[in-house]
Amino acid sequence: MNCDISRGRLEECAESVGGINAVYFVNNGDLGAVTYDLTDTDVIDDFPDTPTAYKFDVRGASTYTETPTKSRENGTTFFEQVLELQLTKLTKEDHKTVKLLCYGSPHIFIEDNNGNFFTAGLEYGMDVSGGSIVTGGAMGDMSGYTLTFTGQEKLPANFISNVGSDPLGDASVTVVVGT
């Protein structure tokens, strides 16, 4: 593998924003074969097996962070992916879903506020590594769920291409919103 870089980077315009708009959970193993862009293997073009993705709208305190880790001594590199979600309001339906998310290791599509889509946990899935179920102490306190998903992958989260006005656009994914 050639590890030499082949491009530089100019200072970008300050037109992007932070934050996550939505996350989409896919049950582990349901992605099937992934088709990559012919010219860029960091971009996923399609999921030919048409997995079902369960959409969760999120706002505010939800974040996604990816940390590259390299060990020169061991000759290894991996990418730790951490998604922190804040889901407001406790419901019996969400309680059951949160429990199942804790038991499983889903693949997660992340839609940021710039319209980018990423695939976290592509190969190994993402595990709940922490969180809380809170009711708050005062009237203005949060009542809901906080969940931290952590995964380690060989490669950074892939972008998903062909995203148009529909969630995940032409990427052959069935999106389920609500119940």
Side-chain angles (χ1 to χ4, degrees):
M1 177 174 156
N2 184 355
C3 297
D4 295 334
I5 64 171
S6 61
R7 67 180 290 271
R9 185 176 193 267
L10 297 174
E11 180 69 25
E12 295 289 329
C13 296
E15 62 188 3
S16 64
V17 295
I20 297 173
N21 186 48
V23 294
Y24 302 76
F25 293 99
V26 177
N27 289 319
N28 194 306
D30 286 357
L31 288 181
V34 173
T35 303
Y36 294 95
D37 182 288
L38 294 176
T39 60
D40 189 352
T41 58
D42 290 324
V43 178
I44 295 173
D45 262 350
D46 199 6
F47 302 96
D49 291 349
T50 313
T52 299
Y54 300 91
K55 182 180 181 182
F56 284 58
D57 289 325
V58 294
R59 300 287 188 277
S62 297
T63 62
Y64 176 71
T65 305
E66 191 160 7
T67 306
T69 302
K70 178 177 180 169
S71 170
R72 181 174 290 280
E73 296 79 21
N74 297 330
T76 58
T77 303
F78 68 93
F79 297 83
E80 182 169 77
Q81 302 170 340
V82 177
L83 174 65
E84 296 181 275
L85 293 181
Q86 184 177 33
L87 307 170
T88 57
K89 192 174 182 181
L90 297 171
T91 69
K92 62 183 176 191
E93 295 82 13
D94 288 341
H95 210 66
K96 183 174 187 173
T97 301
V98 165
K99 177 180 68 173
L100 294 172
L101 286 171
C102 290
Y103 292 163
S105 298
H107 309 286
I108 304 173
F109 302 146
I110 300 159
E111 176 186 358
D112 72 12
N113 286 330
N114 297 299
N116 295 311
F117 283 77
F118 308 95
T119 306
L122 177 64
E123 188 172 349
Y124 301 108
M126 301 280 285
D127 293 310
V128 172
S129 57
S132 61
I133 300 170
V134 298
T135 60
M139 293 283 278
D141 290 349
M142 182 182 145
S143 174
Y145 308 88
T146 62
L147 296 173
T148 301
F149 291 85
T150 304
Q152 293 181 343
E153 296 285 330
K154 297 175 191 174
L155 301 170
N158 296 82
F159 278 82
I160 303 173
S161 71
N162 297 326
V163 178
S165 59
D166 294 329
L168 299 171
D170 297 329
S172 295
V173 173
T174 301
V175 176
V176 177
V177 180
T179 54

